[in-house]
Amino acid sequence: MTTTLRVHRLLLIALGTALLLTGGSVPSQAQTVVVMVNGEPITDFDIEQRTKLDMLSGQKSQSRKDVINELIDEKVKIKEGKKYGVEPTSSDVDQSYAGMAQRMRITPDQLSKSLEVKGIRPDTLKSRMRAEMVWTSLVRGRFKEQLQVGERDVAAAVQSQSGEKLQVEGFEYKMQPIVLIVPHGSSEAAIETRKKEAELYRSRIASCDEANSLFRSTPNAAIRDSVTKTTADLPEALRKVLDDTPVGHLTPPEMTKQGIEMVVLCARNPTMIDTPKRREVREKMYGEKYEKTSKRYLAEIRKAAMIEYR
C-alpha cells in the first residue's frame, strides 16, 4: 500500500469519529506569507490547516518544517503537471472528494462538516487530493516503461520467499461460443437432426474466420463475441476438451437450454498462471518502483523550482 493510500485510510477512520458533531467553522486568519514557490505563496494559515489535516490523518509526528516541505512539494507537482497538460478540473477533484465520502458511507456535505468541526477547510483536503491526482498521472504516464515489473523477476521473488514453483505453466484460451438454436419442445428427431448439423459444421470449420463467416449468415444459429480465459479460470473438464481441440476447430456439440452449443477455439497460448502470492509480490514490486521513481522525479523538479523563504 502506498503512502497516499495509507494516509487516506487513516483519514477515513479519523473523520468517522467526528460525524455526530455539528456546527463549528474555520475562523478567518491573517495570510502571513512564509514561503514563495515559483511565485505562489504558502501562508501561516496554509501551514496550520495542513498540520491539522495531517494530524487527523495520523501523521502526528509532522514538524512545522515537514509540513512546509509537504506544501512546497505539492506546489512544484502542480506546476509540473501544468507543463505536461495534467490539470484535474474542479469537477474531477469534487468527484474524488465524493468518492472518499462514499467509502465512509456519508455524503460530501457530511464530510465537509466533519472537517469543519476539526477546524479544517474542505479545500485543504481537496488541494492535497488535486496534487496527488496530478502526481500519480505524471509518474505513471512519464515513467510507464520503467515501472513495468518483469514476470521473471516476480517468479524469482516468489520462489525465494515461499518456495513456490518458479513457473506455473498453463494456457490462455481465446474462443467464441456458438449455438444452434433448438426451439423449446422440439422432438427428439429434430434434436438429432440439429446434432448431425453440428457434426457437419465441425468437419468443415478450420478457423475462427470461417466460423464467423458461416454462423453469422446461418439461420437459427448465433456466434458470440470472443472471450479469453486462462487455465486457472476453467474447470478441469472444459480444459481437457479445449486441450483436445485443434486451434480453429469446434468443440464437441453439447445440448443446453439454448440449443446445441459448441465453442470455436481461436487460440491457445502458453502462459503462467497467476496466484494470490504472485499478485501480492507483483504489487509490492510495482509499489517499490513507483516510490523510488517518484522520489527521484520530485527531487529533480524541486531542485529546479524557485523557492524563497520569508
Side-chain angles (χ1 to χ4, degrees):
M1 187 181 298
T2 65
T3 301
T4 296
L5 291 176
R6 285 197 297 270
V7 168
H8 273 182
R9 177 168 292 181
L10 289 168
L11 181 59
L12 291 176
I13 295 170
L15 287 175
T17 64
L19 295 179
L20 296 179
L21 301 175
T22 57
S25 62
V26 179
S28 60
Q29 298 193 8
Q31 300 290 306
T32 304
V33 176
V34 178
V35 189
M36 292 293 292
V37 183
N38 295 321
E40 294 189 16
I42 294 174
T43 67
D44 263 326
F45 185 60
D46 295 329
I47 297 167
E48 179 189 328
Q49 284 284 293
R50 181 53 62 88
T51 300
K52 289 179 179 179
L53 182 62
D54 286 347
M55 289 180 66
L56 191 59
S57 304
Q59 297 174 261
K60 296 181 180 180
S61 62
Q62 288 280 81
S63 66
R64 179 179 170 86
K65 181 179 178 181
D66 290 336
V67 173
I68 291 173
N69 279 325
E70 183 182 329
L71 291 168
I72 291 173
D73 288 347
E74 290 183 5
K75 292 288 186 186
V76 298
K77 288 175 181 178
I78 292 293
K79 183 180 180 183
E80 186 75 358
K82 290 179 180 179
K83 177 181 174 182
Y84 289 96
V86 181
E87 299 182 75
T89 64
S90 296
S91 177
D92 294 330
V93 177
D94 287 342
Q95 187 174 355
S96 180
Y97 188 80
M100 173 177 279
Q102 185 177 27
R103 291 191 293 276
M104 296 173 66
R105 299 182 181 180
I106 59 175
T107 66
D109 284 343
Q110 288 173 320
L111 174 55
S112 295
K113 288 178 181 178
S114 65
L115 286 167
E116 288 167 359
V117 298
K118 296 291 186 180
I120 303 168
R121 296 182 307 174
D123 282 346
T124 299
L125 174 57
K126 289 182 179 181
S127 292
R128 189 170 73 181
M129 284 181 161
R130 181 186 297 276
E132 289 169 354
M133 292 167 69
V134 167
W135 194 240
T136 299
S137 295
L138 275 175
V139 176
R140 291 181 177 174
R142 292 203 62 206
F143 303 99
K144 182 178 179 180
E145 297 298 325
Q146 296 179 30
L147 294 175
Q148 289 184 355
V149 177
E151 289 304 314
R152 286 181 179 273
D153 295 332
V154 173
V158 169
Q159 187 182 46
S160 66
Q161 290 180 25
S162 63
E164 187 176 297
K165 190 176 179 181
L166 184 61
Q167 288 189 342
V168 183
E169 295 181 353
F171 289 100
E172 183 179 77
Y173 306 92
K174 182 179 179 182
M175 48 197 166
Q176 286 186 265
I178 294 166
V179 58
L180 303 182
I181 300 169
V182 177
H184 182 67
S186 295
S187 65
E188 287 296 325
I191 294 174
E192 284 303 316
T193 298
R194 260 327 213 174
K195 286 183 178 179
K196 288 180 181 178
E197 287 180 35
E199 291 295 348
L200 178 62
Y201 291 136
R202 286 188 73 206
S203 66
R204 292 173 53 187
I205 297 298
S207 72
C208 273
D209 288 341
E210 288 182 11
N212 276 275
S213 177
L214 175 63
F215 290 109
R216 291 191 190 282
S217 60
T218 299
N220 298 318
I223 182 166
R224 302 189 180 117
D225 293 338
S226 64
V227 295
T228 301
K229 299 288 184 180
T230 66
T231 299
D233 299 325
L234 302 172
E236 184 177 354
L238 181 54
R239 290 201 306 267
K240 187 177 187 312
V241 170
L242 291 173
D243 288 341
D244 291 342
T245 301
V247 173
H249 290 252
L250 296 167
T251 58
E254 180 182 357
M255 187 67 195
T256 69
K257 291 181 180 180
Q258 284 71 40
I260 307 296
E261 291 198 28
M262 299 174 287
V263 168
V264 56
L265 182 61
C266 300
R268 180 177 53 232
N269 300 313
T271 186
M272 288 193 298
I273 303 171
D274 214 4
T275 66
K277 183 63 178 178
R278 282 178 180 274
R279 287 192 290 273
E280 177 190 334
V281 170
R282 186 184 298 110
E283 289 170 5
K284 181 180 179 182
M285 293 175 71
Y286 180 88
E288 290 172 349
K289 282 193 171 190
Y290 179 92
E291 290 293 335
K292 184 177 179 180
T293 302
S294 174
K295 287 179 180 178
R296 185 177 65 248
Y297 186 20
L298 180 58
E300 290 175 2
I301 62 174
R302 180 160 171 156
K303 189 181 296 184
M306 294 178 61
I307 303 172
E308 179 188 352
Y309 293 88
R310 296 292 178 89

